[in-house]
């Protein structure tokens, strides 16, 4: 499986990234742009999307009853060398499933997430999955 994204600078305040029929505004302004995701926020958004997509993938397989999902992700940036030092997440699932099934769902998110498994080796990545 391959992926393709094209990004271009619009001006000194921002850029645009394109993939398939979608477009996302990028904060590439040195002063910051409150109307777009900066690169670190994009990484955290990609991680949260990976978690939700992983849940969507395994819910039918596990016959897991799910009404909704929310993912909260916080990252801490290290200055030298610049990198994400740590990432903490909380996955909140709206379900009546027992705790052991929620743990199984969380295990699947950690085991099969592409972005999760790309980020995890180089970052202190940890979090919880809990019921809403």
């Amino acid at each position: 499986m391959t992926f393709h994204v094209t990004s271009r600078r619009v001006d000194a305040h921002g850029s645009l990234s394109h993939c398939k029929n979608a477009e996302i505004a990028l904060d590439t302004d040195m002063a910051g742009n409150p109307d777009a995701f900066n690169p670190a926020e994009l990484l955290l958004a990609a991680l949260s999307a990976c978690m939700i997509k992983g849940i969507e993938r395994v819910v039918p397989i596990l016959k897991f009853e799910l009404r909704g999902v929310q993912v909260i992700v916080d990252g801490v940036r290290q200055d030298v060398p610049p990198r994400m030092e740590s990432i903490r997440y909380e996955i909140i699932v709206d379900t009546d499933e027992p705790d052991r099934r929620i743990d199984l769902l969380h295990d699947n998110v950690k085991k099969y997430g592409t972005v999760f498994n790309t980020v995890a080796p180089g970052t202190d990545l940890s979090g919880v999955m809990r019921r809403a």
Side-chain angles (χ1 to χ4, degrees):
M1 179 177 281
T2 61
F3 304 92
H4 179 78
V5 174
T6 302
S7 301
R8 68 175 172 81
R9 178 183 187 266
V10 174
D11 56 29
H13 305 291
S15 301
L16 292 173
S17 211
H18 297 269
C19 177
K20 301 175 278 198
N21 295 326
E23 176 179 275
I24 187 166
L26 307 176
D27 172 9
T28 52
D29 187 327
M30 292 307 297
N33 179 346
D35 297 322
F37 284 80
N38 69 35
E41 292 161 342
L42 279 168
L43 177 67
L44 300 181
L47 179 61
S48 64
C50 174
M51 293 173 179
I52 294 170
K53 188 162 187 164
I55 290 168
E56 294 293 349
R57 183 180 304 113
V58 300
V59 159
I61 297 166
L62 299 176
K63 296 180 178 38
F64 192 97
E65 294 295 324
L66 181 70
R67 289 181 295 272
V69 177
Q70 179 182 12
V71 178
I72 302 166
V73 185
D74 293 294
V76 176
R77 183 183 183 274
Q78 171 183 298
D79 285 333
V80 180
R83 68 181 196 92
M84 291 305 282
E85 176 181 296
S86 64
I87 297 173
R88 299 291 175 263
Y89 65 86
E90 182 177 19
I91 305 169
I92 304 163
V93 291
D94 185 4
T95 186
D96 295 323
E97 295 279 356
D99 289 346
R100 65 177 176 74
R101 299 261 295 155
I102 293 172
D103 292 342
L104 176 62
L105 186 62
H106 191 203
D107 289 343
N108 274 273
V109 166
K110 294 186 284 187
K111 187 173 184 180
Y112 298 110
T114 301
V115 176
F116 190 99
N117 288 314
T118 300
V119 170
T123 306
D124 177 12
L125 174 62
S126 65
V128 297
M129 181 179 285
R130 68 171 179 84
R131 182 184 326 280

